[in-house]
Amino acid sequence: MHIIGITGPTGCGKTTLLRVIEVHGGFTVDCDALYYEMLRENAPMRAALTEVFGDIFLPDGSLDRPKLGNRVFSDPDALARLNAIVYHHMGQKMRELLAEQAGQERPYFAIDAINLIESGLAGLCD
């Protein structure tokens, strides 16, 4: 299985490329979608975020984006802490997905990540 990393700005065709890879039997991961799923369902990531940033989840369990944004976008150190938490948990999840797909005999595993290099996910790619 070839592991392909896809990155680039909004509108450059990443999603179109993912669909082509799927048509050819590949497994694809849209890291934006995975991030939002993990914010809802990944208890260790949620706990780590809460430990560092406090009460940033709303009563319905969703992320209070304005509250977190106010904390991280004016403070480079806070943004670096946020990224470190997200990148760590995203890397763990990606390795789990790779292990799950290893026995599926798929020709490709594609990772679409705007921060492919910064997150360390590029190191998983061929």
Side-chain angles (χ1 to χ4, degrees):
M1 179 169 59
H2 297 283
I3 304 169
I4 302 167
I6 303 166
T7 192
T10 301
C12 73
K14 296 184 301 289
T15 302
T16 300
L17 180 54
L18 289 179
R19 299 297 82 82
V20 170
I21 290 168
E22 288 171 351
V23 166
H24 288 85
F27 182 84
T28 61
V29 180
D30 175 338
C31 285
D32 284 341
L34 181 59
Y35 168 71
Y36 293 117
E37 176 186 318
M38 291 175 68
L39 282 173
R40 289 186 312 275
E41 301 173 6
N42 187 298
M45 185 172 92
R46 289 173 58 94
L49 291 169
T50 300
E51 181 179 327
V52 173
F53 298 106
D55 186 20
I56 57 168
F57 290 96
L58 297 168
D60 69 359
S62 64
L63 178 67
D64 187 338
R65 293 184 197 290
K67 191 173 193 177
L68 180 60
N70 287 335
R71 293 186 183 171
V72 301
F73 293 125
S74 61
D75 180 350
D77 291 333
L79 181 58
R81 287 193 303 273
L82 172 64
N83 286 338
I85 292 167
V86 172
Y87 294 165
H88 169 76
H89 289 278
M90 183 69 69
Q92 282 185 328
K93 183 64 175 178
M94 200 63 61
R95 286 187 290 281
E96 289 172 18
L97 292 171
L98 277 164
E100 289 171 9
Q101 293 301 312
Q104 300 299 315
E105 298 185 21
R106 294 183 179 271
Y108 310 107
F109 183 104
I111 303 168
D112 168 7
I114 192 80
N115 292 324
L116 183 74
I117 297 166
E118 299 86 348
S119 67
L121 293 175
L124 299 174
C125 301
D126 296 325

